[in-house]
Each structure stands twice: as C-alpha cells, then as structure tokens.
Amino acid sequence: MITETLHHDIVIVGAGVAGAWAAIEAYDAGIRNVAVVSKVHPLRSHSTAAQGGIAAPIGNVRVPPGGNAQTPLVPAATDGSADSPEKMVLDTIKSGDWLSDQDAVEILAFEAADTLFAYERMGTTFDRLPDGRIAQRRFAGHSAPRAAYAADRTGHALLITLYDQLLRRGITIYEEHYVVDLIWEDHTAAGLVVYNIADGTLRALASPTVVLATGGFAGIFAINSNALINTGDGPGLVYRSGLPLMDMEFVQFHPTGLYGHGVLISEACRAEGGYLRNAAGERFMVNYAPSAMELAPRDIVSRAEQAELDLGHGHGPDKQGLWLDLTHLGAHIIETRLPDIAEISRRLAGVDPLTQMVPIQPTAHYTMGGIPTDVNGQVLNERGEPALGLFAAGECACVSVHGANRLGANSLMEASVFGRRAGRSAARRASEIGIFAPSTTLFNQTLGAARERIQSRFYSDSKDGHHSAFALIAKLKNIMTTTCGILRNESSLAHGNAEMAALVNALPHIRVFDTSCIHNLELVRTFEAENMALVAEATLVSARARTESRGAHSRVDYPERSDKEWMKHLLVRRTPDGPAYTSRQVNIDLAKYPPIARKY
C-alpha cells in the first residue's frame, strides 16, 4: 500500500455548504494552500438534498391583513419592515426549547442577510418576486415568511454556486478520499490520514489547521432522510480522539418522509399549504397545534404523527403511514414550486400529487448535537478549552444554534454563516503558525499504524470470529430505531445502551472480504461502521441521561421540561471505563428570553 505525506496550510473535511464556505473564506483571507477532502464528488455532498429554503429576515413578503397560514403571500414594502433579525432570534430560541446559546443565535440572525446576498452576488438562482427581489415562503415555527428558495432544490442551487467558486479559486480538492484518522502532535491538530478510495493508497495531509464539516448522522436510524454518506465521520473522529460530543440526544424527526423509504418530502409542501391527514382523511393537527396546524415546529408535528400512529390511525400494512394532501394546491404551484417533490412522489411512491395524496411517515432527519465549538468554529473540550488547530462547522458541529429542535430553513443558513466564520478563524491560525514543520517520525508512524489497521481488517482464518460491516450497520439501525426513536423511556434506552455497548465491542472483529484496492466500498463501509457505532453510543448515553422532555427529545416517563435541572448542555466522551458525561450551562439571558410553554 503506497503512502505519502503532503502539506497544506488548511485542510477542510467535507465539501458541502459549510466546508465549501470555509475553504472560500480561508482562501479569500490570503491562505492559498487550502485543500478540501470529500469522500464523494463535492456536488454529491448531502447539502444538495436540502429542499425548501434558507432562512434570512429580509422581509420581502408578508401575510396580507386578515390572512392566515393558508393565505397567499404578497410582496412587502422594500424597507424590510416585514421581518427583523430580532424576530428570527426569538423564533429560533423558542423552537430550540431554550437550549440554544444566545450569542450563536444572534450571530446567525444578524449575519443571515449578508450571507444570503453573498449567494445572490455569486449567482444563485433564487425564485423571484415580480419586482426582482428574492422570493420567500413560510416555514414552520417562523413568525414571518423568511425562507428564500429555489423551487424545492435550494440546497442544490447553493452547492452548485459554491462549487463554482471553489473551481474559480483553484482550491485543491481530494474527492473520493476518506479520512481514517486525525493526527495530533502535543495535543494540537497536525493533519489527517486519508484513504484514496479510487486507488487504495494512503496519504498523510500535514496541516496545522483542520476544519471538520462532515455533515450529520441521522443515518444511524433505519428510516431516515439522509444520504448513505451521512455516517457521523467528523463526530466519530473527535470522539475517538477523547474529545466530547454535545447534545447528542437531540435528533430531529422530519414529519414528512416518504412512507417506507424515509426520502425527504420537503417542508415546502406544507409551507405552500399542504395538509396532513390520517388514514380516515382527518386533518389531525387541529388536535395538537390548533393555531399553527401543519406549520408547527417539526418536533411537535412529528410527535403528533406518532400519537396518531399509536392510536391506530395510520395506513399501510404496518399501519405506520399517514397522508400529505397537496391536491388542492393546483398544478401550477406543484409543478413550478415543488417539481422535485412531484417527481419523487411519482417515481418512488407511484402517486400523482396533483390528484392523489402522498404517503408519508416521520423520518430521522437532522442532528442538533455534535462537536462542541465556539461561535468561530473552534472545537472545545469538556472544560470549554480549545482543541488547538481543530475547527468544525455545519451539521457535524454544535455551536449551539438549534438547541433542542431546529427550525426549518435554519440549517442551510447556519452551515453558511458558521462555515464562513470557521474559514476565517482557520485562516487567522494558519497565518499565525506560518511555516509548519511537523515531526516526520510522527507522520511515518501514523501512516504505518493506519496501514496496519486497514490490513488487519481483511479476512483471515483467525478463530476469533468475524462480522460483516453491512450486518453490523443493519443491527445498529434497528437498535436505534426501536430504543431511541421519537418517544423514549428508561426501559428502552437501557436496553439500547446495553445492545450498543456489545456492538461497539464487536467493532474490532469486522472483517473485509473484498481484497481489491480499487473502489473497495466494503472497506469504506467498515470505517463508516466504526463512526456510526460510536456516535450511536454517544446518542444513547445522552438520551438516557437527560431525564426530561425538551424539543426533539421526548421521554414518556419524564414528560415535562425541567428548566431548573436540565437547562444545560450534555457532553459525553469516551474514557477507559466507558462513556462519561458532564454538563455545561446554556448561554442565554433569561430576563431577555424568559422560558415559556411552547404553544402553537
């Protein structure tokens, strides 16, 4: 197995929205030797799957006087008075069930407009109002219609724009490279070991500054909306390094995944006026959120759906399906504003949304927790101290903007705003470090250890037994779905913790049967299985520890939110004795944002 060491001033892992922005900002700050590592082609990054919109309080549209959630929007005055960053801050904190850090939320809201207009200047093809301004639509939990959009392909439009900017700058991209290990020297990040999927070679990328932007990990659940690449690689690397992960118990279940598949059916469908119905055809949200109805925050809608299913009001062979009704919207809205959803419905569900209801069910979608960082992307340890040289942004990070539950359309903006900030911070560090001269011995040893680790995975006739990565991942997904789903309790979580501990212990026994070097996806799946198991372990430990219900974490045995005991972040890290957790207070001014009951 050929090995080599290459040098960069900054290495960014992940080529989605957060990673691309970090690279662009670092380059524009004067750091020319920037590299991006992605295990897929950048345009296959999961950011491209984001559908409905990107939130910014620019106030281009409003609800007309006397209108309601179903009334068509109209252009607002050009002074922006129809919305404000302050409103976005309050909406985000309320939706996050008072677990969002105020400083991060304020940065998100006050930098959103500038970031949106940066996309516009770079040529993003947003939908437009008749006067040429960027169009916006409603999104659940927002008090104003602030989701800018490009039909129902918003993430795709943004990522194409950013990829073009990477190419214009000539930024080095290692596509189809998988990060095997972080390299540390004197407790400071010093680079990465990467596996070239295309030819099977190993490389050490020496760099004093590493930015992780690897996306989320909702793929640890059986029914999920994520691409196969969302396997928790960044959090897994950090967790293996002895650093903590934060708020891992908060996993958002999107209300409208395609029944039986989990493929995302955008919230834009409900933003445009779609209805949710049970098997009897009833609009059941009137019983759970009588004011907001289908446009209540996702955690509330998903729990309402689960309640309907538990009452036996679902359809399908397993009675786990509900309906999304778009038939009243008409062909023009469906075909112009929801074209991808129409195609997904026809191809994967065999229904025409113009005349038939779309079968849906809740699907694991987004992970609010992840690698703890400050507002500049600096990764922090359990004491809140910096892990020098290591930064993170996007869904793999926990800054914490989203708290216990993310507002729709906030994810693309969060990845953009904090990806930009992480890139600028990385550039400052690279400038301060100057010429980087890591230990050659360290890199040779690290490459040698990685090579031995990979070679040990290939099948032998050893008597210690072996496991398939594919079988182990299937078991992992089943454990998470049955023990740590939308509704949780002590019994199921205790069982899940025990099952996952046994699965983690089985990781060293995974064997690879494909002995080829070129595109050995079984070996890649083995790497991914390790990360998935570790982030699943952290999720289960955190979910069992938090004995309250808050946002997306719903304990039927602890149904109330406990601000006195649990208005704090949980951090979990690996120790020789197993996972251990500590806590950190939420950064919020309760006099300014007093916690209230969330009513919609």
Side-chain angles (χ1 to χ4, degrees), residues 73-155:
L73 302 172
V74 298
T78 57
D79 61 4
S81 59
D83 198 5
S84 70
E86 290 83 1
K87 290 180 181 178
M88 185 172 173
V89 171
L90 182 57
D91 292 343
T92 301
I93 288 174
K94 181 180 178 183
S95 180
D97 223 349
W98 279 266
L99 206 73
S100 304
D101 285 327
Q102 178 182 332
D103 56 343
V105 177
E106 290 175 345
I107 286 170
L108 175 78
F110 282 89
E111 295 186 8
D114 177 71
T115 299
L116 186 72
F117 296 139
Y119 276 119
E120 184 179 38
R121 288 191 297 272
M122 290 189 293
T124 301
T125 54
F126 291 112
D127 280 37
R128 300 282 172 171
L129 298 175
D131 62 8
R133 287 181 293 164
I134 296 172
Q136 294 179 279
R137 58 171 43 127
R138 300 176 176 91
F139 248 57
H142 291 276
S143 60
R146 63 173 64 105
Y149 61 95
D152 56 356
R153 304 170 180 140
T154 309

Side-chain angles (χ1 to χ4, degrees), residues 261-272:
H261 298 272
V263 175
L264 183 63
I265 301 297
S266 175
E267 187 165 304
C269 294
R270 288 174 286 132
E272 296 294 346

Side-chain angles (χ1 to χ4, degrees), residues 191-487:
L192 306 163
V193 175
V194 297
Y195 171 74
N196 187 338
I197 299 170
D199 64 13
T201 60
L202 277 179
R203 284 175 170 150
L205 302 182
S207 175
T209 308
V210 175
V211 181
L212 299 177
T214 59
F217 52 88
I220 62 177
F221 291 85
I223 298 294
N224 70 82
S225 67
N226 285 200
L228 289 175
I229 59 174
N230 282 28
T231 51
D233 298 324
L237 288 168
V238 166
Y239 194 56
R240 275 195 275 130
S241 298
L243 291 167
L245 300 176
M246 188 166 87
D247 292 346
M248 295 293 284
E249 64 271 35
F250 297 108
V251 178
Q252 182 177 86
F253 287 78
H254 197 288
T256 53
L258 197 65
Y259 172 55
H261 298 272
V263 175
L264 183 63
I265 301 297
S266 175
E267 187 165 304
C269 294
R270 288 174 286 132
E272 296 294 346
Y275 300 151
L276 294 175
R277 299 187 186 276
N278 59 23
E282 300 165 337
R283 282 185 71 187
F284 56 85
M285 284 307 300
V286 70
N287 300 317
Y288 303 95
S291 178
M293 295 288 283
E294 284 87 358
L295 291 181
R298 291 173 179 173
D299 61 324
I300 292 174
V301 179
S302 290
R303 279 195 295 275
E305 290 180 333
Q306 190 61 54
E308 288 293 301
L309 296 175
D310 291 346
L311 290 170
H313 297 168
H315 68 77
D318 58 359
K319 302 298 182 184
Q320 294 300 298
L322 296 163
W323 298 110
L324 173 64
D325 185 1
L326 306 176
T327 57
H328 56 287
L329 299 183
H332 177 72
I333 287 180
I334 292 174
E335 298 294 0
T336 61
R337 300 187 190 178
L338 306 169
D340 273 12
I341 298 308
E343 184 175 2
I344 288 170
S345 301
R346 290 165 183 149
R347 288 194 176 190
L348 298 184
V351 300
D352 186 346
L354 274 68
T355 58
Q356 299 168 284
M357 293 190 291
V358 181
I360 53 98
Q361 70 181 123
T363 182
H365 178 59
Y366 189 91
T367 47
M368 277 73 73
I371 305 164
T373 73
D374 66 15
V375 295
N376 294 310
Q378 171 68 64
V379 173
L380 304 173
N381 65 18
E382 69 275 13
R383 297 180 297 277
E385 302 163 343
L388 294 178
L390 188 61
F391 299 82
E395 193 175 350
C396 74
C398 185
V399 62
S400 155
V401 162
H402 308 303
N405 176 62
R406 175 175 69 81
L407 273 180
N410 268 7
S411 59
L412 284 174
M413 187 53 76
E414 183 241 3
S416 302
V417 167
F418 291 97
R420 297 180 81 182
R421 295 176 73 90
R424 293 194 289 266
S425 297
R428 285 194 293 271
R429 174 172 171 78
S431 296
E432 293 167 358
I433 293 294
I435 297 174
F436 181 56
S439 165
T440 301
T441 301
L442 169 67
F443 276 75
N444 289 338
Q445 291 175 341
T446 303
L447 280 170
R451 183 172 57 247
E452 291 177 9
R453 177 183 165 200
I454 290 172
Q455 291 173 341
S456 71
R457 288 298 187 185
F458 289 97
Y459 177 70
S460 68
D461 293 327
S462 61
K463 304 296 183 181
D464 64 349
H466 59 264
H467 298 275
S468 158
F470 300 101
L472 187 144
I473 289 172
K475 183 176 181 180
L476 179 152
K477 288 172 177 275
N478 181 65
I479 293 170
M480 293 304 297
T481 299
T482 57
T483 68
C484 195
I486 295 175
L487 302 178

